[in-house]
Amino acid sequence: MNGVFQCPPNYQRLLYAEETKYSNGESSLFLINSRENKVIDAQEKFISIKTKFLKSFNKLKWMKENFSL
């Protein structure tokens, strides 16, 4: 979880492959747009999950510090 906008590399590969197919005349802008939307959705999901993790981690850390004997 180094970068904020990390995306699963497979989505990036699919987008790159679709752009390559388009440049060869074997694809359409609709398919490229669809792949781009999947990349954006994956980025949003990653940010959401990372935020939930960090909230939980900080809550546990706070509880540990405040309730330790």
Side-chain angles (χ1 to χ4, degrees), residues 1-46:
M1 283 198 210
N2 293 335
V4 173
F5 294 109
Q6 281 184 345
C7 179
N10 290 336
Y11 286 115
Q12 290 290 92
R13 285 186 199 143
L14 288 171
L15 175 60
Y16 178 73
E18 204 65 54
E19 289 171 345
T20 303
K21 286 175 64 177
Y22 180 76
S23 67
N24 291 332
E26 300 174 2
S27 186
S28 67
L29 287 177
F30 172 78
L31 291 173
I32 291 176
N33 189 33
S34 176
R35 298 286 184 200
E36 287 175 344
N37 285 335
K38 292 290 184 184
V39 169
I40 292 169
D41 290 342
Q43 289 171 341
E44 288 177 346
K45 187 172 183 178
F46 176 81

